[in-house]
Amino acid sequence: MTDVLERPETEPEAPAPEKKNGLLDMGQWTAAAPKAPAKMNPRTLWRNPVMFIVEIGAVFTTVLAVADPSVFAWTIVAWLWATVWFAAWSEAVAERRGSAQADSLRRTKTDTVAHMAVGRADGPDAETTEVPASVLERGDLVVVKAGETIPGDGDVVAGIASVDESAITGESAPVIRESGGDRCAVMGGTKVLSDRVVVEITAEPGKSFLDKMISLVEGSQRRKTPNEIALNILLAALTIIFLLAVVTMQPAAIYSKDVNAAAPDTNVITGDGVTGIVLVSLLVCLIPTTIGALLSAIGIAGMDRLVQRNVLAMSGRAVEAAGDVDTLLLDKTGTITYGNRMADAFLPATGLEERRLADAARLSSLADETPEGRSIVDLAVEEHGGDTAIADGAEWVPFSAETRMSGVDLPGEEGVRRIRKGAADAVAAWVREHDGSYPVDVAETVDRISDKGGTPLVVAERTGDAPAAVIGVVSLSDVVKEGMVERFEQLRAMGIRTVMVTGDNPRTAQAIADQAGVDGFLAEAKPEDKLDLIRKEQESGRMVAMTGDGTNDAPALAQADVGVAMNTGTSAAKEAGNMVDLDSDPTKLIEIVEVGKQLLMTRGALTTFSIANDIAKYFAIIPAVFMAVYPGLSALNVMGLASPESAIISAVVFNAVIIAALLPLALKGVAYRPVGSAKLLRRNLLVYGLGGVIVPFAGIKLIDTLVSLIPGVV
């Protein structure tokens, strides 16, 4: 079933408060300064075409200044090199913030001794041998006891233990890891606090999640993302265009001087045309140097914000995709609702006693360690009594996403007694398959529970070769988490469509969807249904994000553009997704989308500012270059700059200083607001576009006033 039912839109609420990133840590800023020169190496800087051109210009003007020294020439040279250094410094600062986190993570890696099982035996008496953790390979079995450190990433294949993951996740509360199910994955570097587990190593040496996290937060290891590459191409194109425009100014200046022979010579235009230093200054000021210098810092800071939220991104592509998500798939249980569905009533079929239903439900749930299973046993014992011990000879039928049922087979004098409980349609199909019928009153009870937002579990049994019979319904209740309605309204304001995915029947799904405020839902979802829905959305041109933790979620996680696997989930889920949430908080997917949106918003805002402030620099330099030859151009000198030389110096100085001034904004990110693209564009144009024109006018005028006071410059 892949049809998604829609809900009407509602008005958005105020945005969530912005998180702080500790940008005033001056120690990291000063520590990054010595690393900036290394990033000015042309062999690495060429990947940033804008700043590469600036560096070439700085070298060229240095040669010219040596050949024909002057205060004007050396001032331009100094500030062109300062522009390159500020760009390198901005990237070094961003990487330094990540490096500090990497140092902390690296301290969790120790030369752990592993107790490797001999002959892959995983029993309590398995023979072990001590080996360094660094030699463990994928598929090895290791025994870890209380007080020992888990030597590598893997899955628990035997035993159960309490594990301290605080060194990696930051969470002080220990977690339970056990074999089977979706809480079997463990990470290297965490410590077992109690009991004993056998772990099968799933990561190759040097490729653990801790290694990947260290690599992620080390800025130098991050590759540029597709959007970043696309923007680089745009900036390179603009640079080439302005380069051609500037080159044509030299013959234009020579022609202008020849035509206006009576015009006085200036230090800017001579009989030989425009000086090389002026041409380079013009080029540097007109190309988008501001965004070119800050582009790497913006990308690194965006990924750093994910790390701060304990999310490990396997690729920069996933972070970018998070900012472009159109459809968000969320599991109901544990994400939208608290997930602790508890049994609150036994509703027997007509003519049957409640005690019989409670007894059958209790027997089928004794081996069910889920909160729902335990609540059924507790309610049955509390209201009707009964034994909680597992009967001899019982054969348990575990729940699966395919059957959506669980149960038990008990030996008896009249034959095997088979008890099944699960989704109404699944149990109904099982009953009919075994010659039984599905009572109308039970169907009505299921509908009534579902309409109220509860979860009905139908219980049926069959003894020997007798027809199967429905005994009744167990009612489970769940509660939507506080604040979910507001969060979904924020996402809707951003143009993101939310879809709740659940194994519940359509009535229950509809009731929860109405309470939570999602845009649609997928009920009775099987693994292939999730996959089909994602493909359908992608074929419509949408970007899809989803969360999951089980092996059955792996196909959908791999297909989704942003697949966030829970750290408590299986290795298959974590390998299929392109992000891992170390806190295993399914609602964090909403934060991940916000981080991606903020990264793109920051890049867009600063790109708008960068291009806009070129307008102001245009009005500073172009009139200055030609107004001595063409006095009529003095009308364009709207800032009233003192002289052509001071105008050029002021524009170049401002061009360098603005990079350092905008670095905190690049690292922190533009204030996140869940608004649509049209409103976001208007805000960018009004705030960063208009600001990109006004701020340089004021800044260049102030610098010009100071420069004009320096002897020998003007």
Side-chain angles (χ1 to χ4, degrees):
M1 174 177 183
T2 56
D3 292 332
V4 179
L5 306 184
E6 301 291 339
R7 298 185 71 258
E9 295 186 357
T10 57
E11 292 298 319
E13 295 248 343
E18 179 75 19
K19 292 189 176 182
K20 297 183 178 180
N21 290 340
L23 296 176
L24 298 180
D25 184 357
M26 296 307 298
Q28 290 189 16
W29 288 62
T30 54
K35 296 184 178 182
K39 296 188 174 297
M40 296 167 63
N41 188 327
R43 288 180 294 180
T44 57
L45 194 62
W46 71 268
R47 295 184 179 90
N48 187 334
V50 175
M51 298 315 302
F52 185 59
I53 291 293
V54 176
E55 186 170 53
I56 292 176
V59 173
F60 180 65
T61 54
T62 301
V63 174
L64 294 179
V66 170
D68 186 13
S70 67
V71 175
F72 171 76
W74 281 110
T75 301
I76 294 295
V77 168
W79 281 100
L80 287 181
W81 281 113
T83 303
V84 181
W85 187 85
F86 280 140
W89 185 52
S90 68
E91 185 173 353
V93 169
E95 290 183 1
R96 174 65 187 176
R97 296 177 69 227
S99 180
Q101 293 184 1
D103 292 340
S104 175
L105 290 169
R106 194 174 283 109
R107 286 194 291 270
T108 67
K109 294 192 68 176
T110 59
D111 189 13
T112 306
V113 174
H115 299 277
M116 186 172 69
V118 177
R120 293 190 54 82
D122 58 6
D125 300 323
E127 181 182 352
T128 63
T129 181
E130 290 189 359
V131 298
S134 57
V135 304
L136 292 175
E137 297 180 354
R138 190 184 185 99
D140 288 342
L141 295 181
V142 293
V143 178
V144 190
K145 301 177 182 178
E148 295 179 349
T149 300
I150 296 174
D153 292 354
D155 290 334
V156 176
V157 295
I160 181 172
S162 175
V163 180
D164 177 9
E165 296 183 344
S166 60
I168 295 177
T169 66
E171 294 295 327
S172 58
V175 295
I176 300 298
R177 295 290 180 262
E178 57 186 326
S179 60
D182 295 336
R183 297 197 303 172
C184 62
V186 292
M187 286 183 294
T190 58
K191 180 177 289 187
V192 172
L193 299 180
S194 67
D195 302 294
R196 167 192 180 278
V197 288
V198 178
V199 177
E200 180 177 0
I201 301 299
T202 58
E204 299 290 345
K207 296 182 180 180
S208 68
F209 280 105
L210 185 56
D211 291 313
K212 292 176 182 177
M213 194 168 189
I214 292 173
S215 176
L216 173 69
V217 299
E218 290 279 14
S220 60
Q221 301 299 319
R222 297 186 181 109
R223 295 184 178 180
K224 293 186 183 298
T225 57
N227 280 347
E228 215 172 348
I229 294 172
L231 184 55
N232 263 322
I233 294 173
L234 172 63
L235 298 183
L238 291 175
T239 300
I240 293 172
I241 291 171
F242 282 117
L243 179 62
L244 295 175
V246 168
V247 168
T248 60
M249 295 189 70
Q250 174 70 347
I254 295 174
Y255 173 78
S256 299
K257 183 64 178 177
D258 292 341
V259 172
N260 297 273
D265 282 348
T266 71
N267 290 334
V268 173
I269 295 184
T270 68
D272 298 325
V274 184
T275 65
I277 290 179
V278 172
L279 287 174
V280 171
S281 301
L282 178 63
L283 175 63
V284 169
C285 289
L286 291 185
I287 63 178
T289 50
T290 305
I291 186 61
L294 297 174
L295 189 58
S296 294
I298 294 170
I300 292 171
M303 298 183 75
D304 181 50
R305 282 191 286 275
L306 271 186
V307 175
Q308 291 176 9
R309 288 164 172 79
N310 266 356
V311 176
L312 175 60
M314 302 304 180
S315 68
R317 185 185 299 272
V319 184
E320 294 284 1
D324 289 326
V325 164
D326 301 299
T327 302
L328 195 57
L329 270 60
L330 304 103
D331 282 331
K332 185 200 79 171
T333 305
T335 303
I336 296 175
T337 65
Y338 281 105
N340 52 346
R341 296 180 299 177
M342 300 296 178
D344 55 16
F346 294 112
L347 305 171
T350 302
L352 299 180
E353 296 182 356
E354 182 178 325
R355 183 182 184 87
R356 179 183 174 185
L357 169 61
D359 179 67
R362 174 182 60 82
L363 291 172
S364 64
S365 303
L366 287 174
D368 187 350
E369 291 300 323
T370 64
E372 294 88 345
R374 289 193 293 268
S375 72
I376 292 174
V377 174
D378 292 341
L379 182 63
V381 172
E382 178 183 345
E383 294 188 354
H384 301 282
D387 193 356
T388 58
I390 299 176
D392 293 336
E395 294 185 8
W396 304 106
V397 179
F399 176 86
S400 73
E402 293 295 331
T403 64
R404 292 184 296 124
M405 291 189 306
S406 63
V408 62
D409 293 343
L410 300 169
E413 295 180 359
E414 299 179 3
V416 178
R417 182 187 180 191
R418 298 176 176 85
I419 304 175
R420 299 291 184 269
K421 76 173 191 296
D425 61 327
V427 174
W430 182 82
V431 168
R432 295 188 181 103
E433 182 183 348
H434 294 89
D435 305 322
S437 60
Y438 192 71
V440 175
D441 64 299
V442 170
E444 293 173 348
T445 301
V446 168
D447 291 344
R448 186 169 63 254
I449 295 172
S450 300
D451 290 341
K452 294 180 180 179
T455 300
L457 290 181
V458 176
V459 181
E461 68 175 3
R462 182 192 187 203
T463 302
D465 296 329
V470 176
I471 305 175
V473 184
V474 180
S475 172
L476 302 175
S477 61
D478 199 356
V479 180
V480 174
K481 293 180 178 179
E482 290 86 356
M484 293 306 295
V485 174
E486 292 75 16
R487 299 297 294 273
F488 290 141
E489 287 177 350
Q490 292 173 20
L491 290 169
R492 192 174 297 113
M494 294 189 305
I496 297 176
R497 177 168 165 266
T498 54
V499 177
M500 181 184 75
V501 179
T502 176
D504 289 336
N505 63 69
R507 287 178 178 269
T508 300
Q510 179 71 67
I512 297 296
D514 290 339
Q515 294 178 40
V518 294
D519 298 309
F521 62 87
L522 177 65
E524 298 177 341
K526 297 178 181 178
E528 58 269 24
D529 295 329
K530 299 177 187 178
L531 189 60
D532 290 343
L533 175 59
I534 292 174
R535 287 173 175 168
K536 181 179 178 181
E537 293 288 315
Q538 291 172 332
E539 288 170 359
S540 301
R542 300 186 180 96
M543 298 284 284
V544 182
M546 76 159 289
T547 61
D549 59 2
T551 301
N552 62 323
D553 292 321
L557 286 171
Q559 182 68 34
D561 299 290
V562 180
V564 184
M566 300 296 101
N567 186 46
T568 54
T570 62
S571 295
K574 291 194 287 187
E575 290 175 1
N578 48 29
M579 291 187 186
V580 176
D581 176 15
L582 298 178
D583 294 332
S584 299
D585 177 8
T587 61
K588 197 180 289 183
L589 182 56
I590 299 174
E591 293 184 48
I592 292 172
V593 171
E594 292 174 354
V595 169
K597 288 283 185 185
Q598 187 183 34
L599 187 152
L600 297 180
M601 289 168 62
T602 302
R603 190 177 293 161
L606 292 183
T607 300
T608 303
F609 183 94
S610 177
I611 295 175
N613 77 44
D614 289 339
I615 298 174
K617 290 178 286 187
Y618 172 89
F619 277 97
I621 292 184
I622 296 298
V625 173
F626 287 99
M627 67 182 181
V629 179
Y630 294 105
L633 289 178
S634 59
L636 294 178
N637 187 19
V638 293
M639 289 181 269
L641 303 180
S643 70
E645 289 80 4
S646 68
I648 294 170
I649 291 175
S650 300
V652 172
V653 171
F654 177 84
N655 195 60
V657 170
I658 197 63
I659 294 172
L662 291 175
L663 180 55
L665 179 61
L667 295 179
K668 182 180 180 181
V670 172
Y672 168 77
R673 293 183 178 86
V675 297
S677 56
K679 189 173 182 180
L680 180 61
L681 177 60
R682 287 196 299 270
R683 189 188 73 166
N684 274 353
L685 292 176
L686 289 175
V687 177
Y688 297 98
L690 186 59
V693 174
I694 295 175
V695 171
F697 269 77
I700 290 174
K701 178 60 179 177
L702 175 61
I703 296 171
D704 176 77
T705 302
L706 298 175
V707 168
S708 63
L709 301 177
I710 302 175
V713 173
V714 181

